[in-house]
Amino acid sequence: MKVVIVGGGIGGMTLACKLAVGGIIAHVYDSAPRLEPIGLGVNLLPHAGKVMQAIGVIDEIAQRSVETYESTFFNRFGQHIYSEPAGRHAGYDLPQYSVHRGDLHQPMLHRFIELAGAERVHTGHRCVGFEQDADGVTVHFHDTATDAPLPSVRCDVLIAADGIHSVIRKQLHPGEGDPVYSGVNMWRGAVVHKPFLHGANMVRLGWLKTGKLVLYPIRNDVDGQGNQLVNWVVEIETPKYKAKRDWNKEGSIDDFIGAFEGMHFDWLDVPALLRGTQKILEYPMVDQDPLPFWTSGRVTLIGDAAHPMYPRGSNGACQAIIDGDVLGRALLGAADPRDALEAYEAERRPATTRVVLTNRSTPPDIILKEVFDRTGDKPFEDIDMVISPEELAELSNNYKKIAGFDRERLATAGAN
Ligand SMILES: Cc1cc2nc3c(=O)[nH]c(=O)nc-3n(C[C@H](O)[C@H](O)[C@H](O)COP(=O)(O)OP(=O)(O)OC[C@H]3O[C@@H](n4cnc5c(N)ncnc54)[C@H](O)[C@@H]3O)c2cc1C
């Protein structure tokens, strides 16, 4: 079976590795001139970690990342709201890893090259469309640097893993508009900083109306003096946003630092941490309405191409990884690839639709909103008088069930 994967990001590389481990050597095409370790922090939750374990890269990821100890919520006055253990500390059989996107991506790329050979990775190939007939698919490419057409490629199956601005999604759904802005703008960066709290906390602080901050370390001891690389994301309600989402657009600290000026806590000086960041990126929080279908004959979508979602609850990368795993398993077991694509979609489209919609309405950081609303954005005397620990735990656990990583389910399921 000749499989072409367009997009060698997180989802595409997961699928390529899964197939290669099972004996199908795919071709991966990417528009980037080189597949470099770019991006900032992501979180690898235990269910996605199982997939990395199955394809043989978990040890390398573990070495490069920080094993998350707990998830911790504060209001903007630095008052502690709630903490819950993460990964192995919460009883999962695998840790949660907070990791630089490049430290997740590169081990997969190297593993694929080890199994398949470097000639199976075709960079500088920007996909511009496809056509299919009863026997196969023809995929068209342009040279990224010159925009000149490149030879088209014939295959049995085409997988679109080409991310948030997928051209293959556009071809399958020509009437669809661009990703929809949520009304929240985001800035992000990474800075070398001394460890705070347990040195492995995923902290969520404040709320969107006045300024929310998510921060967590992603690399340990980056300078031989025990300092960590700390990833942060600022989210603030911002009614209008004109530019297109671009993972590499530079942002300015002046646009958001005002919201964090007073936050000098005994465990962290927030404005100092933000000011210490050399390069700040900016991007709007966007998603798209769930699609009525992903598959047409021999073509299907995975990852952000299939279900762009708000980056809440550590799901952008994890859901793409689960897609790659489920689709890989289906293709490896199928006599006719078209059946495999249908089976994959039947499993993954309803599941990811629930995550997209829940990330709009009740993501895990809804805990912060509850406290913000109930206190009228004022400091509290006693958090138990505002919201009970049981209610907080329930809000968190409901989300895990919807996103597919509640402990009960994972205890009974392996990677596919
Ligand atoms: C440069 C970059 C930086 C990122 N940084 C972060 C981050 O810091 N934190 C975070 O949470 N998420 C980040 N993401 C997004 C995150 O990787 C995805 O949301 C998630 O992992 C889903 O993965 P995906 O494989 O669907 O998409 P992606 O990982 O975005 O991969 C899509 C791939 O498709 C390629 N591509 C796009 N269009 C075409 C085309 N027409 N032809 C061929 N190839 C194409 C891209 O070059 C890319 O390699 C980043 C994505 C990119 C591309």
Side-chain angles (χ1 to χ4, degrees):
M1 192 192 300
K2 182 168 178 188
V3 179
V4 163
I5 302 171
V6 169
I10 301 296
M13 286 319 306
T14 304
L15 175 62
C17 288
K18 172 89 184 177
L19 289 174
V21 167
I24 294 180
I25 306 298
H27 287 262
V28 179
Y29 290 86
D30 202 288
S31 52
R34 278 177 303 281
L35 288 177
E36 290 184 328
I38 40 181
L40 288 166
V42 298
N43 271 277
L44 187 68
L45 298 169
H47 60 335
K50 279 197 176 189
V51 179
M52 295 299 110
Q53 191 175 43
I55 62 179
V57 294
I58 196 70
D59 291 343
E60 198 176 341
I61 293 168
Q63 275 165 21
R64 294 171 175 226
S65 60
V66 174
E67 180 177 335
T68 319
Y69 175 71
E70 68 176 15
S71 202
T72 321
F73 297 80
F74 294 90
N75 67 7
R76 72 183 175 98
F77 309 102
Q79 292 181 294
H80 178 256
I81 295 171
Y82 180 63
S83 291
E84 64 173 13
R88 215 157 20 200
H89 306 282
Y92 291 92
D93 50 9
L94 274 183
Q96 172 175 332
Y97 294 108
S98 296
V99 58
H100 189 287
R101 182 181 177 274
D103 293 336
L104 171 62
H105 182 254
Q106 296 291 300
M108 286 199 278
L109 175 63
H110 298 151
R111 178 79 172 128
F112 179 65
I113 289 173
E114 176 188 289
L115 293 165
E119 67 281 5
R120 292 295 176 120
V121 180
H122 311 265
T123 51
H125 278 67
R126 185 169 62 82
C127 178
V128 293
F130 71 89
E131 66 234 14
Q132 66 175 316
D133 51 52
D135 302 322
V137 189
T138 307
V139 196
H140 305 297
F141 295 98
H142 281 189
D143 186 310
T144 306
T146 64
D147 206 28
L150 293 167
S152 297
V153 176
R154 185 81 178 156
C155 58
D156 299 307
V157 201
L158 167 61
I159 311 300
D162 52 341
I164 182 92
H165 299 297
S166 169
V167 293
I168 299 173
R169 176 183 175 122
K170 286 201 178 81
Q171 186 172 338
L172 289 178
H173 296 275
E176 199 190 27
D178 283 331
V180 184
Y181 178 51
S182 65
V184 174
N185 196 27
M186 308 169 79
W187 293 262
R188 62 195 182 121
V191 58
V192 175
H193 196 275
K194 65 179 189 306
F196 53 87
L197 299 174
H198 294 280
N201 289 65
M202 174 154 185
V203 170
R204 297 178 178 103
L205 187 155
W207 182 241
L208 302 171
K209 222 177 220 358
T210 49
K212 186 187 139 202
L213 175 67
V214 181
L215 76 163
Y216 49 87
I218 53 175
R219 282 181 189 148
N220 282 320
D221 194 15
V222 286
D223 55 2
Q225 294 173 33
N227 287 312
Q228 297 176 309
L229 186 65
V230 173
N231 181 81
W232 57 261
V233 183
V234 161
E235 303 169 16
I236 305 183
E237 283 182 8
T238 310
K240 290 215 173 82
Y241 193 86
K242 292 202 188 75
K244 187 174 166 181
R245 171 152 120 169
D246 170 355
W247 289 112
N248 299 312
K249 183 177 181 331
E250 290 212 21
S252 161
I253 194 164
D254 298 334
D255 291 337
F256 63 86
I257 190 69
F260 300 92
E261 283 296 11
M263 295 189 187
H264 307 285
F265 308 135
D266 54 1
W267 55 276
L268 187 69
D269 187 329
V270 173
L273 177 138
L274 296 174
R275 283 211 169 83
T277 309
Q278 284 183 350
K279 184 173 178 190
I280 292 174
L281 300 173
E282 159 182 343
Y283 64 121
M285 192 189 280
V286 298
D287 73 356
Q288 269 176 302
D289 285 336
L291 288 174
F293 68 91
W294 293 349
T295 303
S296 166
R298 296 168 176 274
V299 181
T300 198
L301 311 171
I302 73 171
D304 282 354
H307 46 68
M309 55 180 65
Y310 296 160
R312 289 167 142 181
S314 312
N315 259 303
C318 292
Q319 296 295 335
I321 288 170
I322 306 297
D323 287 351
D325 183 52
V326 172
L327 178 56
R329 185 226 319 154
L331 283 167
L332 288 166
D336 184 329
R338 287 168 289 197
D339 297 338
L341 303 195
E342 292 293 347
Y344 150 75
E345 177 171 338
E347 181 171 340
R348 292 298 296 155
R349 195 164 56 77
T352 53
T353 293
R354 283 195 295 275
V355 182
V356 170
L357 298 179
T358 307
N359 275 8
R360 287 180 185 173
S361 62
T362 38
D365 58 7
I366 200 78
I367 287 174
L368 297 173
K369 180 177 187 304
E370 280 300 317
V371 174
F372 180 92
D373 288 344
R374 292 184 194 193
T375 58
D377 190 30
K378 298 265 174 354
F380 51 75
E381 294 268 307
D382 178 356
I383 187 63
D384 290 352
M385 306 292 281
V386 179
I387 185 165
S388 71
E390 293 75 26
E391 207 179 333
L392 288 165
E394 196 185 331
L395 283 173
S396 174
N397 210 40
N398 282 347
Y399 184 80
K400 290 185 191 133
K401 284 195 180 130
I402 287 162
F405 65 99
D406 53 307
R407 205 176 57 208
E408 296 73 22
R409 180 179 332 188
L410 281 193
T412 54
N416 289 293

